[in-house]
Amino acid sequence: MKILVINSGSSSIKFKLYDMKNESVMCKGLIEQIGSDNSFAKISTAHGSIKEISRPIANHAQGIDIMNELLFNSGVVNSLDEIDGVGHRVVQGADVFSDAVLIDESVMAKIEELIPLAPLHNPAHLAGMRETLKVRPDIPNVAVFDTVFHQTMPKSSYMYALPIEFYEKYKIRKYGFHGTSHQFVSKAAAKILNIDYDKFSCITLHLGNGASIAAIKNGKCIDTTMGLTPLEGLMMGTRCGSIDPAIMPFLMENANLSAKEVDNIMNKKSGLLAIGGSNDMRIIEQKMDAGDENAKLAFDMFVLKVKKFIGAYIAILGKIDSIIFTAGIGENDARIREAVCEGLEIFDIKIDKIKNKESKDEPRRISQIDSKVRIAIVPTDEELAIAQDALRIIKNKGNK
Ligand code: ADP
């Protein structure tokens, strides 16, 4: 069974084709700068061949056509008929979707209704879905939502202390994101630690350019740091994370900025970039080692916020089996991991500093033998998680 995973963003489409027999990647590609004169498309196959196309790509429909052209011309498939199903990443499923779902007109109408909650993402996802369905109406397309894993949060976690009508009228509540990643790495960790997932409690740290943490009790998410949008929670590459909300009206009144401008600053010009001069943790650390005080401040602020949420989540979870690091920083940055775990011995979280520094590309334990809480690194793979979910939904449909 071959499953194509499509991640259709506001000006890009990323795709990966999996052979689900052994979950191997047959090819991956991307189409960037859709809507501009500089658009280009690229595919690289498991056999090492690379093909690129540089020509204006006006919209997502053209982008999907070029993806199909690349899939065919690179020889990955002899015919598009070889693809058995498609999994589409959808950022915002709100409280409407509590599982991945087969896409039909009514599902697309619901995703469309959620556009106010994801104005950049959901229209792009819909454009990708419509074109894929047009080209291959005969194969199942599945929507896999970033928000689904967090749908088990209790109301006390997801409600904001705002007038209730904002929740009722505008659906303002915490939804959380990176759900496929939190679920994927927590399941993988439970497996390597040999604990049944429905008895497994942990804290997952997805630390990439976008970053979030989830508190998982007996295999179910009970809290997470991102909120109505991905802006809430941790300090990130370019996002400020949680700050005093009164800063927004303050800036609008005193710095003469519009709501849109402040929103843009908080999402794209804040975080590590604003404090340390780069959104890349590797550069922050290089600058810090060269004596740059602001880079050191950015590093310290990032670590402090992660630690604060670990403490908060231990308090609400009670007992945890594991802490799991994942994503670009979580998987690769031993220094951040050591700094985050420093002082957590009081919670029986003891990092093995030598194991932590070993660089390997596989799930592994980095805690000391006598650490009650096992610290693990699990490389995330959101596309594979989407392919697995799509396959599960397609098989269920076949069984009905
Ligand atoms: P996203 O998917 O949110 O764009 P990733 O999970 O790919 O982000 O993480 C990207 C970030 O990971 C980079 O911006 C960089 O800060 C960080 N990163 C990647 N490799 C390393 C490394 N070896 N050491 C430190 N940080 C790293």
Side-chain angles (χ1 to χ4, degrees):
M1 185 100 137
K2 294 188 179 84
I3 301 276
L4 179 66
V5 173
I6 297 182
N7 182 354
S8 183
S10 52
S11 64
S12 69
I13 298 171
K14 295 190 188 114
F15 60 94
K16 254 187 191 179
L17 182 65
Y18 285 91
D19 184 344
M20 296 308 284
K21 234 183 350 214
N22 51 5
E23 297 189 335
S24 61
V25 178
M26 299 175 70
C27 72
K28 62 178 180 183
L30 79 163
I31 294 138
E32 287 209 319
Q33 308 212 32
I34 295 175
S36 91
D37 288 343
N38 303 322
S39 1
F40 72 93
K42 182 175 169 177
I43 191 167
S44 41
T45 71
H47 303 300
S49 87
I50 294 177
K51 274 203 175 357
E52 288 179 0
I53 296 178
S54 286
R55 65 170 180 249
I57 301 167
N59 50 38
H60 284 74
Q62 287 182 11
I64 295 286
D65 289 344
I66 286 182
M67 175 190 79
N68 287 333
E69 190 182 319
L70 284 171
L71 283 169
F72 182 68
N73 288 346
S74 62
V76 187
V77 289
N78 294 319
S79 142
L80 290 178
D81 292 346
E82 287 177 27
I83 298 170
D84 301 291
V86 184
H88 295 262
R89 176 191 179 217
V90 182
V91 165
Q92 182 55 280
D95 53 3
V96 177
F97 296 99
S98 54
D99 197 0
V101 64
L102 270 178
I103 299 170
D104 58 18
E105 281 304 325
S106 87
V107 165
M108 285 194 286
K110 285 180 189 151
I111 295 172
E112 193 156 5
E113 276 170 30
L114 297 173
I115 286 177
L117 295 174
L120 292 180
H121 288 100
N122 278 17
H125 302 327
L126 283 165
M129 288 171 197
R130 292 217 165 92
E131 190 60 20
T132 320
L133 283 163
K134 206 164 92 192
V135 180
R136 288 288 313 276
D138 53 317
I139 56 170
N141 278 247
V142 178
V144 180
F145 301 90
D146 276 14
T147 42
V148 156
F149 182 60
H150 305 301
Q151 277 298 299
T152 48
M153 284 189 289
K155 203 165 181 177
S156 51
S157 290
Y158 70 67
M159 286 297 284
Y160 292 116
L162 287 167
I164 295 258
E165 64 259 31
F166 291 164
Y167 167 62
E168 290 164 349
K169 197 165 167 197
Y170 303 111
K171 289 176 167 274
I172 291 180
R173 49 158 281 184
K174 180 186 279 279
Y175 292 108
F177 298 90
H178 292 142
T180 42
S181 175
H182 289 292
Q183 185 172 35
F184 182 85
V185 300
S186 56
K187 276 194 169 162
K191 212 168 175 188
I192 57 170
L193 297 173
N194 212 8
I195 302 174
D196 290 341
Y197 192 58
D198 59 2
K199 296 192 183 88
F200 185 56
S201 296
C202 65
I203 298 173
T204 42
L205 312 176
H206 179 110
L207 308 178
N209 198 25
S212 70
I213 303 187
I216 298 168
K217 188 170 194 163
N218 298 325
K220 299 223 157 38
C221 175
I222 61 161
D223 207 350
T224 190
T225 54
M226 284 180 168
L228 172 74
T229 75
L231 185 56
E232 192 181 343
L234 299 173
M235 176 179 180
M236 308 179 209
T238 62
R239 296 189 191 118
C240 58
S242 295
I243 55 167
D244 183 343
I247 293 171
M248 182 143 192
F250 180 94
L251 284 174
M252 289 169 70
E253 278 165 30
N254 293 283
N256 201 19
L257 294 167
S258 68
K260 233 185 178 150
E261 284 166 333
V262 180
D263 184 66
N264 189 47
I265 291 168
M266 289 177 173
N267 271 293
K268 299 198 172 139
K269 296 182 180 163
S270 298
L272 295 173
L273 175 66
I275 303 293
S278 170
N279 66 331
D280 191 319
M281 190 57 90
R282 287 164 291 198
I283 296 174
I284 294 285
E285 288 171 25
Q286 280 164 19
K287 288 167 72 144
M288 180 167 122
D289 292 340
D292 185 323
E293 283 181 16
N294 285 338
K296 165 94 174 80
L297 177 62
F299 182 95
D300 290 346
M301 286 171 70
F302 182 90
V303 169
L304 182 71
K305 299 208 166 152
V306 174
K307 281 169 100 96
K308 278 187 177 179
F309 277 110
I310 293 177
Y313 285 172
I314 290 172
I316 63 168
L317 284 165
K319 148 202 159 285
I320 52 168
D321 301 299
S322 178
I323 286 201
I324 301 145
F325 286 92
T326 193
I329 299 172
E331 289 166 32
N332 299 302
D333 196 332
R335 203 158 160 184
I336 284 281
R337 290 192 299 260
E338 188 175 322
V340 163
C341 293
E342 193 188 322
L344 299 186
E345 296 79 10
I346 188 169
F347 300 120
D348 236 317
I349 299 169
K350 300 182 200 160
I351 194 164
D352 181 323
K353 292 185 184 173
I354 312 243
K355 277 195 196 146
N356 179 44
K357 288 199 179 87
E358 289 168 4
S359 87
K360 285 187 198 156
D361 208 10
E362 58 195 35
R364 61 197 187 277
R365 231 173 102 162
I366 53 163
S367 42
Q368 295 174 22
I369 301 282
D370 67 338
S371 177
K372 277 218 186 97
V373 175
R374 266 79 63 90
I375 310 169
I377 302 173
V378 179
T380 193
D381 194 337
E382 285 166 288
E383 290 87 5
L384 176 59
I386 292 170
Q388 289 170 340
D389 252 2
L391 185 64
R392 173 176 60 84
I393 298 290
I394 292 168
K395 279 191 171 161
N396 278 351
K397 174 193 157 222
N399 291 338
K400 271 184 191 156

